[in-house]
């Protein structure tokens, strides 16, 4: 501290194979003991039992862990710095290294799942994630911890996109809104519980190991998930998937690095010249990626990203909404955590408890959103407006309280923010993937996951400018100064919520309703 509708073309038992330039056949999942069969589309006989929900529950454990480890380390950072005698730059890399490698490898991880099998990539990612968690827990110094965190991010990037693909492949179209509702609830709970779980583990100081249990906790969960995935998650892949577009992967990685590294690291280093040069250089780098992908597509190859996907209105508008939404969510978590702990003097556990009502509201609204999916854009707009009302209320309460601000005064309006995001995020993720051809679900899942990470990084970068600019050189526990900085930062959240509400009418209602 990190949520469909039927694919276009015929679906069901009698869907006929088509040419690769149309709706692409999709491998149907099978029982773990059987062969992978490329002749059945999703929604076939194997998808009509309760087994898909068991498989989904298993892969959702991986999603929970991937998101949790983005935020749980925030709580452990002071203890890590004191124990390892880390510099401020080391701590920043310990926190951001995971996010960087995670964001850079998501699309590649998704495409590898298309080709080699989603179950295989999920299990490979989980194994790497678990092993690198052991490396984090045993790290003797800052350098080894940073290296283990980078590997941990690569493991998360291999397994997380497979969750979106598994939903598309295993879950019948009519039940996907419910599945995405559960995914959204899991992402929300992982996001909110990072500080609470981290605070509990740090406070417990198990066996005198201080911060290390925040990584050890991943190991039993990871091993159990691997065992269950091997037994109960069926394999699937895209039959038409060809070898990985290596030139595209290299150019995209460079382009994303030029964009994401300055956004994540720039504020911590005072926005040096290299950060601005990197952001500027990302523009021609993305243009070069577009040229590479067009050439691969023109030669009849399998590009990492088919650019026509980004030209399709439902996906393009939906991706923009996802980026704006995650910019708002991640930026709120940053400034609220800083305000509660540095400004109001709460410990990590107490700050985590403040998030609990927010998490409950998000969880409940995510589940309700799946049942309201038939309402189309209306449920999305309801979520956006509810969240906007919550942000405005939090801003007003912060300004009104001034130096007398207390954490629990913010809870009622934060409940509105949580409920609004729960109603918005889950059906939005469903709508973005709702019109994707089955053969492109892995690609779209990787792009969507990358959009979430980029949105979060942009939001954190922008809110950092506002928050620290307003905070100035205020001392810790200066409630008035931190309240003023929180209010300045919340202006960004209000603007983002307004932009989301204004953009939602451009999302085709049929895509949202089918979701």
């Amino acid at each position: 501290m990190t949520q469909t509708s039927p694919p276009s073309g015929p679906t069901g038992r009698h869907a006929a194979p088509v040419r690769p330039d149309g709706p692409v056949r999709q491998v149907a999942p099978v029982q773990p003991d059987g062969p992978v069969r490329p002749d059945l589309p999703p929604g076939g006989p194997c998808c009509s039992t309760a087994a898909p929900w068991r498989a989904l529950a298993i892969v959702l454990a991986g999603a929970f862990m991937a998101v949790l480890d983005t935020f749980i380390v925030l709580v452990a950072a002071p203890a890590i710095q004191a124990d390892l005698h880390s510099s401020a730059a080391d701590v920043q890399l310990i926190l951001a290294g995971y996010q960087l490698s995670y964001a850079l490898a998501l699309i590649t991880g998704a495409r590898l799942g298309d080709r080699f099998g989603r179950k295989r990539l999920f299990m490979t990612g989980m194994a790497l994630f678990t092993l690198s968690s052991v490396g984090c827990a045993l790290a003797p110094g800052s350098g080894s911890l940073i290296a283990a965190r980078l590997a941990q991010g690569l493991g998360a990037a291999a397994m997380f996109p497979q969750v979106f693909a598994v939903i598309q492949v295993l879950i019948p179209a009519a039940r996907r809104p419910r599945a995405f509702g559960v995914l959204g609830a899991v992402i929300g709970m992982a996001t909110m519980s990072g500080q609470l779980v981290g605070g509990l583990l740090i406070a417990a100081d198990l066996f005198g190991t201080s911060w290390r249990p925040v990584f050890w906790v991943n190991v039993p969960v990871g091993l159990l998930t691997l065992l269950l995935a091997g037994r109960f998650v069926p394999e699937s892949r895209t039959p038409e998937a060809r070898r990985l577009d290596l030139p595209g992967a290299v150019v995209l990685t460079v382009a994303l690095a030029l964009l994401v590294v300055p956004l994540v690291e720039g504020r911590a280093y005072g926005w040096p010249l290299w950060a601005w040069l990197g952001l500027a250089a990302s523009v021609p780098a993305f243009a070069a990626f577009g040229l590479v992908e067009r050439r691969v597509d023109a030669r009849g190859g399998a590009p990492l990203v088919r650019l026509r996907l980004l030209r399709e209105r439902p996906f393009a508008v939906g991706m923009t909404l996802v980026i704006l939404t995650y910019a708002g969510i991640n930026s709120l978590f940053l400034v609220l955590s800083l305000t509660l702990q540095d400004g109001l003097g709460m410990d990590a556990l107490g700050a985590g408890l403040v998030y609990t009502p927010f998490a409950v509201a998000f969880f409940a609204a995510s589940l309700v959103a799946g049942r309201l999916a038939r309402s189309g854009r209306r449920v999305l707009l309801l979520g956006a407006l509810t969240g906007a009302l919550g942000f405005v209320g939090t801003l007003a309460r912060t300004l009104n309280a001034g130096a007398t601000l207390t954490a629990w005064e913010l809870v009622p309006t934060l409940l509105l923010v949580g409920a609004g995001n729960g109603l918005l995020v889950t059906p939005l993720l469903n709508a973005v993937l709702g019109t994707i051809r089955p053969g492109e679900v892995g690609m779209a899942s990787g792009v969507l996951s990358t959009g979430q990470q980029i949105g979060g990084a942009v939001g954190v970068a922008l809110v950092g400018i506002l928050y620290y600019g307003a905070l100035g050189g205020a001392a810790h526990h200066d409630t008035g100064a931190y309240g003023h900085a929180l209010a300045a930062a919340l202006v960004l959240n209000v603007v983002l919520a307004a932009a989301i509400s204004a953009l939602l009418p451009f999302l085709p209602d049929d895509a949202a309703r089918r979701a």
Side-chain angles (χ1 to χ4, degrees):
M1 288 266 165
T2 182
Q3 95 278 112
T4 51
S5 66
S8 59
T11 60
R13 185 190 298 267
H14 302 294
V18 294
R19 293 174 57 83
D21 54 351
V24 184
R25 291 182 304 169
Q26 177 64 47
V27 177
V30 297
Q31 296 303 319
D33 301 288
V36 177
R37 295 182 59 188
D39 53 324
L40 291 175
C46 64
C47 299
S48 60
T49 68
W53 296 99
R54 180 174 57 190
L56 178 60
I58 294 168
V59 297
L60 284 176
F64 184 89
M65 292 170 66
V67 176
L68 182 75
D69 261 57
T70 305
F71 298 100
I72 196 172
V73 182
L74 287 171
V75 180
I80 292 173
Q81 185 169 20
D83 183 42
L84 299 182
H85 306 290
S86 306
S87 67
D90 289 338
V91 172
Q92 183 67 19
L93 283 173
I94 291 167
L95 296 175
Y98 174 82
Q99 183 182 358
L100 291 172
S101 60
Y102 183 17
L104 296 180
L106 278 164
I107 294 179
T108 301
R111 295 313 303 272
L112 288 173
D114 283 347
R115 184 181 183 198
F116 295 107
R118 286 132 191 169
K119 172 182 175 178
R120 179 179 296 178
L121 257 291
F122 176 83
M123 293 185 66
T124 300
M126 178 59 75
L128 177 58
F129 185 91
T130 304
L131 184 61
S132 57
S133 294
V134 174
C136 290
L138 295 176
S142 299
S144 56
L145 181 55
I146 291 168
R149 285 284 283 171
L150 290 170
Q152 203 179 32
L154 293 176
M159 66 181 177
F160 190 83
Q162 316 313 325
V163 180
F164 289 105
V166 163
I167 291 176
Q168 288 285 82
V169 171
L170 285 186
I171 306 299
R175 297 184 180 182
R176 285 181 201 144
R178 179 183 172 192
F180 274 97
V182 174
L183 171 60
V186 167
I187 291 175
M189 289 299 292
T191 302
M192 310 309 163
S193 60
Q195 289 208 48
L196 181 59
V197 173
L200 286 169
L201 291 173
I202 295 293
D205 191 22
L206 299 173
F207 308 108
T209 54
S210 182
W211 53 272
R212 298 181 188 272
V214 303
F215 296 111
W216 280 123
V217 72
N218 293 332
V219 178
V221 178
L223 292 175
L224 179 60
T225 303
L226 280 170
L227 290 173
L228 294 175
R231 177 68 183 90
F232 296 114
V233 176
E235 184 61 283
S236 68
R237 62 174 62 91
T238 300
E240 292 80 7
R242 284 160 279 184
R243 63 192 181 96
L244 183 66
D245 170 21
L246 289 178
V250 171
V251 177
L252 178 61
T253 300
V254 171
L256 286 172
L258 290 170
L259 174 65
V260 175
V261 172
L263 288 175
V264 172
E265 295 283 283
R267 184 201 58 77
Y269 291 97
W271 294 106
L273 179 61
W274 66 259
W276 296 109
L277 292 176
L279 290 173
S282 69
V283 177
F286 278 110
F289 173 70
L291 291 174
V292 170
E293 297 305 272
R294 286 193 185 93
R295 290 176 181 174
V296 172
D297 207 6
R299 294 197 304 265
L304 199 66
V305 177
R306 293 191 186 278
L307 298 183
R308 61 174 172 75
L309 181 69
L310 302 177
R311 294 194 293 266
E312 295 176 2
R313 181 179 164 191
F315 191 83
V317 175
M319 275 297 302
T320 304
L321 287 166
V322 166
I323 290 171
L324 293 175
T325 299
Y326 275 82
I329 292 174
N330 285 29
S331 61
L332 173 66
F333 294 150
L334 172 65
V335 297
L336 189 57
S337 297
L338 291 170
T339 302
L340 293 175
Q341 295 184 65
D342 294 345
L344 303 185
M346 303 183 74
D347 60 17
L349 180 57
L353 290 172
V354 174
Y355 280 106
T356 302
F358 184 109
V360 172
F362 190 105
F363 182 85
S366 296
L367 297 180
V368 170
R371 300 180 182 276
L372 299 178
R374 294 181 184 274
S375 300
R377 279 196 307 247
R378 284 179 293 177
V379 67
L380 296 171
L381 188 58
L382 175 63
L385 293 176
T386 301
L389 181 62
F391 283 125
V392 171
T394 307
L395 173 60
R397 184 62 197 142
T398 302
L399 289 174
N400 185 59
T404 65
L405 180 69
T406 65
W408 299 107
E409 290 179 271
L410 302 176
V411 168
T413 52
L414 288 176
L415 278 171
L416 289 176
V417 176
N421 278 290
L423 290 173
L424 173 65
V425 171
T426 53
L428 179 59
L429 296 176
N430 194 4
V432 172
L433 292 177
T435 55
I436 299 303
R437 297 172 177 85
E440 296 178 345
V441 64
M443 176 198 307
S445 300
V447 174
L448 176 62
S449 301
T450 303
Q452 291 173 309
Q453 292 298 309
I454 290 175
V458 171
V460 166
L462 292 177
V463 84
I465 295 172
L466 294 174
Y467 187 81
Y468 286 102
L471 188 61
H476 278 199
H477 304 168
D478 185 341
T479 303
Y482 276 86
H484 175 68
L486 176 61
L490 285 168
V491 172
L492 173 65
N493 294 104
V494 172
V495 170
L496 289 172
I500 291 167
S501 301
L503 189 59
L504 274 172
F506 294 94
L507 181 70
D509 198 40
D510 57 341
R513 184 174 291 110
R514 287 205 309 270

